[in-house]
Amino acid sequence: MTQHAHFEMDLPASLREALAGYGWQQQTIGHSDAGVFKLVADGKPTLFLKTEASGQFAELPDEVARLWWLGGQGIPCPEVIVFETHAGHNWLLMSAVAGRDLVSQETVPAEAIAIMADALRRLHALDVAACPFDHSLTQRIAVAKARTDAGEVDEDDFDDEWLGQSAQQVFEELLARRPASETLVVTHGDASMPNFMADGGRFTGFIDCSRLGVADLHQDLALACWSIHFNLGEEWIAPFLALYGLPDADAAKLSYYQLLDEFF
C-alpha cells in the first residue's frame, strides 16, 4: 500500500469530503508516521496536507496557531483550511503559497539572498509585544531538555562538530555556551532556504511556521546562514548579512543558535 493510500484510509470525514477528486503527490517524509502531500485537481486550487502522529512533541498544533496569527499581521503564509486530530494523527489542510521554495527553483544566489534578507527584515519589524509565542532561550532550552530526556533528539543527524556525542553531552554545551543577552524580535524559527517561497523573483510567503516566536534575531540569521552555506556557498553569507543590515552579526551567537537547532 502506498503511503498516501494508507493516509487516505485514515482521513477524518471532513477531509475526505474536501479532498474528493484530488490527486496526491508526496512531498517529503520525516519520520515514517509523518507526511506532506501536494493535492492537485483540475479547476480547483492546489492544497497541501500535512499529517503527523499526535502527542507531546507534535508540531502541527503549533503551526496552526502561528499561521492564524502571522496571516493576521499581513505577512504572507499558507491559510489554514481544516485542522483535525483523528485516528492518532493530526491533520492540517492548507492553501498553497504561490511559486516555489528558494532551493527547488534554483534561484540565482544574489536574488535568493536579497529575498531572504528582505523577508526577514519585514518579519523582524513586527511588534514583539503583539506576538503571543515566547521562544526566548529560557523557554527553548527547557523544550530542548524535554526532547533530550524523551529521546526525541536525532543524534545521527548532528552536524559534524557534534557527531558521535550523545544528546545529553551536546545539551551540556548548550547550557555552557548560553549567550548573556538576547535581542528579541518575531522570528520564523527555521529560516532555512526551503521555507522561503518566491515567484518571479518576489517573496510570496513563509512556510513551515511551527517554530515562529519571539526570540533573538540571531535565531533566524543563524539558520539562514547555515542554509546559504549549504545551498549556495559560504561566499554568500557576508552579502546576505549586509543586505539584512547586520554585517557584523555576532559569530558566537550564530554558532549558538545553530547548536540550539540540533535539538529540534
Side-chain angles (χ1 to χ4, degrees), residues 11-24 39-41 44-47 49 81-84 93-94:
L11 275 179
S14 60
L15 281 175
R16 194 173 294 125
E17 199 171 305
L19 301 182
Y22 273 92
W24 295 49
L39 302 162
V40 180
K44 294 184 178 183
T46 299
L47 304 173
L49 178 68
I81 299 170
V82 177
F83 177 69
E84 281 207 34
L93 183 65
M94 300 171 291

Side-chain angles (χ1 to χ4, degrees), residues 63-264:
E63 182 156 16
V64 170
R66 284 150 180 80
L67 290 176
W68 282 120
W69 182 82
L70 188 61
Q73 307 306 306
I75 302 284
C77 61
E79 180 186 344
V80 176
I81 299 170
V82 177
F83 177 69
E84 281 207 34
T85 301
H86 172 78
H89 277 71
N90 293 321
W91 305 84
L92 171 57
L93 183 65
M94 300 171 291
S95 65
V97 174
R100 297 172 69 188
D101 73 78
L102 290 181
V103 173
S104 65
Q105 66 179 279
E106 298 180 356
T107 314
V108 174
E111 191 174 273
I113 64 168
I115 289 169
M116 293 171 73
D118 288 347
L120 288 178
R121 276 209 316 271
R122 183 175 164 190
L123 179 66
H124 293 174
L126 293 179
D127 180 8
V128 168
C131 181
F133 311 111
D134 176 14
H135 283 202
S136 59
L137 277 178
T138 297
Q139 194 273 349
R140 293 311 271 169
I141 288 171
V143 177
K145 183 177 191 321
R147 289 180 58 82
T148 299
D149 292 347
E152 288 286 321
V153 177
D154 185 355
E155 296 170 345
D156 295 331
D157 194 40
F158 282 163
D159 287 345
D160 291 348
E161 185 179 356
W162 310 109
L163 213 50
Q165 298 192 47
S166 70
Q168 187 57 52
Q169 288 173 307
V170 179
F171 182 75
E172 295 300 327
E173 286 289 331
L174 191 68
L175 294 180
R177 298 187 184 197
R178 178 175 179 166
S181 65
E182 294 172 81
T183 304
L184 297 176
V185 297
V186 177
T187 65
H188 178 278
D190 188 8
S192 55
M193 289 181 64
N195 292 334
F196 292 77
M197 300 290 289
D199 193 22
R202 295 171 61 89
F203 174 69
T204 52
F206 287 109
I207 60 171
D208 288 348
C209 297
S210 64
R211 300 176 192 173
L212 181 142
V214 175
D216 189 296
L217 57 84
H218 289 82
Q219 163 70 48
D220 279 350
L221 297 184
L223 270 59
C225 288
W226 183 92
S227 187
I228 289 167
H229 171 91
F230 181 80
N231 291 290
L232 302 178
E234 191 163 358
E235 67 271 22
W236 292 101
I237 291 176
F240 161 73
L241 290 172
L243 284 169
Y244 173 80
L246 201 67
D248 300 320
D250 186 326
K253 280 191 174 182
L254 293 176
S255 175
Y256 184 81
Y257 283 95
Q258 289 167 1
L259 169 60
L260 177 62
D261 191 57
E262 301 282 12
F263 295 86
F264 294 93

